[in-house]
Amino acid sequence: MQSTFLHSLLAAASLSSVALAAPAYDIVEARSTPGSKHVIANLFQWNWDSVAQECAWLGQNGYGYVQVSPANEHIQGSQWWTDYQAVSYKIQSKRGNESQFKNMVNACKNAGVGVIVDVIWNHMAGIDSGSGVAGSSFTHYNYPGIYGQDDFHYCGTPGNDIQNWGDRTQVQTCELANLADLKTESSKVQNTLVAHSNKLIDLGVAGFRVDASKHIPVANQKTIISKLKKQGLYYTHEVVYEGGPGVTSSEYTSIGDVQEFRFVTLMRDAFTNGNIAQLQGLNNMGWLSSGKANVFVANHDRERGGYLSYKSPNNQYALAHVFSLSYPYGTPTVFSGYSFDNNDAGAPNGNYGTCGSNAGTNGWQCQHRWTGIAGMVGFYNKVGSAGLANWTQGNNNQIAYGRGNVGYVIINNDGAAWKKTFTTGLADGTYCDVYSGKKNGKACTGKSVTVKSGKLSNYSVPGHTAVAIHTGAKL
């Protein structure tokens, strides 16, 4: 049976989901992931040793960053959500210890991959008492040597929980699913969070994914960020916003990228309801601007809440990634998780992530390695900032478009084949289809596609599949 905590967390997501003072620095946020490789692989629940091993593959296949689970001590339990109930700021979790974390960061750096770590600035645990995975004892509002009762909000609603998601005060001072809500306006709390974050910076992280960022006022986060010892890090903020009153996602763009949850919803609706043609106007929907949006097809909450996931039929999950990694909107994250029948289920295989060449093993899905998704990471890197071109469609479930004269994709989300002449804008020649394989020397491991006079003439794309070609995969 689904836990009360998870039920509350998923419901929330659907409605919105003692240190010395540190010196202040000018805030300089990285806008989009820095460097030439921007795509983030979210290796959900992988432990530090397995991420260290996987980073070599990530770097070789075009990923620039890996997002990992929170590093701090948390409550005990096998469920995935225990990672998000902080107990202390010791670098000790189900994923490993401080030495293993540092080794992971160094291994990833050596592979050209930056580590973005999930941080919990909003809250502590959501249970009455216990001990953490590193042995620290606590009660709901007392964490010895760290926080006491005066360091938390008590908003006065029943159970101090959020009752009205349109009420800014409740969203930012009441408890999210019973999680003890920190007084982030307090200098003591801020300095404690700064000390923890600085420790992670010392260990070499490239950025932070701020969990439950919507529940912390922007002003409080600006103060925290300004005190960190290193500026120019990448931030992506979890701000669940689908429109309407209350706290909005656009408020957070001054402190980093913001996760655009309306994109996740649109991917589900477009690919499951048979109208991917509506995606043509994505840049004109009044959402976050492309340079401020972090987009993804799924995350750990959404895949458990009826959105697209590895369980989706007819290649919908893979096809949505073809779109996400080819359409010029946002900085993309590829979520990579594990098989589950119970929404609470934690990671398999003792938390050690394992993959085959293009699929998961030992209970892991390894979506980041799926042939079509991995191939599209190379497509994304190759087309860069090239503009959208040559948009065409068949029925509402069939679209094709180019990225300048560098790349071209065809997405057939319909059950029937789509046959027509496609104007690609690419130079004549033979290309490897990176959805079905890759270029390997002078051959393709998947399909090959021949462009003549800039076109694919009378070309047929089977149902529930895609074709993607770019100049980096030309024979």
Side-chain angles (χ1 to χ4, degrees):
M1 185 174 70
Q2 181 170 295
S3 71
T4 301
F5 171 78
L6 179 59
H7 177 79
S8 299
L9 196 61
L10 291 176
S14 68
L15 287 169
S16 18
S17 163
V18 184
L20 295 175
Y25 295 83
D26 290 336
I27 299 177
V28 183
E29 305 89 12
R31 176 56 62 210
S32 181
T33 43
S36 60
K37 298 188 297 181
H38 301 295
V39 180
I40 304 164
N42 177 4
L43 300 190
F44 181 63
Q45 297 273 283
W46 285 51
N47 68 16
W48 310 147
D49 290 346
S50 58
V51 175
Q53 290 291 320
E54 189 67 4
C55 266
W57 188 93
L58 291 175
Q60 292 165 4
N61 287 273
Y63 289 93
Y65 294 84
V66 60
Q67 180 183 316
V68 300
S69 298
N72 57 278
E73 183 183 10
H74 51 78
I75 67 171
Q76 297 184 36
S78 62
Q79 304 92 331
W80 65 264
W81 42 260
T82 59
D83 290 46
Y84 292 87
Q85 297 199 36
V87 169
S88 81
Y89 297 115
K90 297 174 183 177
I91 309 300
Q92 175 70 56
S93 73
K94 283 185 292 188
R95 313 298 141 214
N97 59 33
E98 182 175 327
S99 176
Q100 291 168 309
F101 187 89
K102 183 174 179 61
N103 177 67
M104 171 191 69
V105 173
N106 290 339
C108 292
K109 277 185 178 179
N110 290 338
V113 178
V115 172
I116 298 169
V117 63
D118 222 337
V119 288
I120 305 168
W121 289 350
N122 178 66
H123 57 262
M124 297 298 282
I127 59 178
D128 288 341
S129 63
S131 60
V133 293
S136 300
S137 297
F138 68 94
T139 62
H140 200 184
Y141 303 110
N142 185 23
Y143 301 81
I146 308 171
Y147 299 125
Q149 291 190 349
D150 292 341
D151 298 316
F152 296 94
H153 289 130
Y154 308 95
C155 70
T157 63
N160 289 311
D161 284 332
I162 301 169
Q163 305 288 319
N164 179 2
W165 285 85
D167 185 321
R168 176 181 299 272
T169 300
Q170 286 196 27
V171 169
Q172 296 186 331
T173 63
C174 293
E175 293 179 356
L176 171 66
N178 202 47
L179 297 165
D181 195 75
L182 286 166
K183 279 185 179 177
T184 53
E185 70 273 19
S186 153
S187 59
K188 175 188 172 183
V189 171
Q190 291 175 356
N191 291 334
T192 304
L193 295 173
V194 166
H196 170 56
S197 303
N198 276 342
K199 177 66 174 179
L200 296 169
I201 291 171
D202 287 340
L203 292 170
V205 301
F208 299 109
R209 182 254 186 195
V210 184
D211 182 67
S213 185
K214 176 177 184 174
H215 302 278
I216 312 169
V218 171
N220 298 352
Q221 294 196 58
K222 279 187 175 180
T223 301
I224 293 167
I225 293 170
S226 72
K227 293 180 178 181
L228 297 181
K229 61 169 56 178
K230 185 176 182 180
Q231 300 297 302
L233 298 172
Y234 177 71
Y235 295 85
T236 181
H237 294 269
E238 185 197 22
V239 181
V240 181
Y241 180 69
E242 300 276 6
V247 179
T248 67
S249 53
S250 60
E251 299 173 30
Y252 289 77
T253 57
S254 64
I255 53 173
D257 276 4
V258 181
Q259 296 187 324
E260 181 53 273
F261 280 84
R262 289 169 291 193
F263 183 90
V264 188
T265 301
L266 182 60
M267 291 299 99
R268 178 198 64 187
D269 294 347
F271 281 90
T272 60
N273 296 336
N275 185 13
I276 64 173
Q278 66 183 300
L279 300 176
Q280 182 178 10
L282 183 59
N283 284 320
N284 301 314
M285 291 187 176
W287 295 353
L288 299 170
S289 64
S290 178
K292 298 178 180 179
N294 176 207
V295 299
F296 42 92
V297 173
N299 72 354
H300 60 277
D301 285 323
R302 287 303 194 242
E303 75 164 355
R304 289 165 171 79
Y307 292 73
L308 293 178
S309 77
Y310 74 91
K311 299 180 181 182
S312 299
N314 301 322
N315 293 325
Q316 290 169 354
Y317 189 81
L319 294 177
H321 277 88
V322 173
F323 179 83
S324 176
L325 291 163
S326 62
Y327 193 89
Y329 179 76
T331 294
T333 293
V334 174
F335 176 80
S336 189
Y338 50 86
S339 303
F340 62 91
D341 294 318
N342 179 338
N343 282 346
D344 289 335
N349 198 42
N351 301 311
Y352 196 100
T354 60
C355 303
S357 60
N358 58 7
T361 58
N362 298 314
W364 296 92
Q365 279 292 319
C366 295
Q367 295 100 314
H368 66 285
R369 281 197 182 218
W370 288 8
T371 300
I373 293 176
M376 291 308 299
V377 173
F379 181 101
Y380 178 92
N381 290 336
K382 189 63 181 180
V383 300
S385 60
L388 193 66
N390 296 312
W391 180 284
T392 190
Q393 67 184 72
N395 60 36
N396 283 341
N397 230 5
Q398 299 165 330
I399 60 175
Y401 51 89
R403 293 293 302 277
N405 61 356
V406 185
Y408 191 78
V409 297
I410 307 169
I411 304 174
N412 185 5
N413 193 47
D414 195 76
W418 183 19
K419 188 174 184 179
K420 67 168 292 178
T421 294
F422 297 91
T423 300
T424 70
L426 272 63
D428 290 359
T430 300
Y431 297 80
C432 296
D433 166 31
V434 298
Y435 180 77
S436 63
K438 62 183 178 180
K439 180 182 177 182
N440 185 17
K442 296 183 179 180
C444 303
T445 63
K447 297 178 183 178
S448 61
V449 176
T450 301
V451 175
K452 293 182 179 179
S453 301
K455 299 178 180 179
L456 298 176
S457 297
N458 206 28
Y459 189 78
S460 182
V461 180
H464 303 309
T465 191
V467 171
I469 57 178
H470 61 82
T471 55
K474 185 180 181 185
L475 296 177

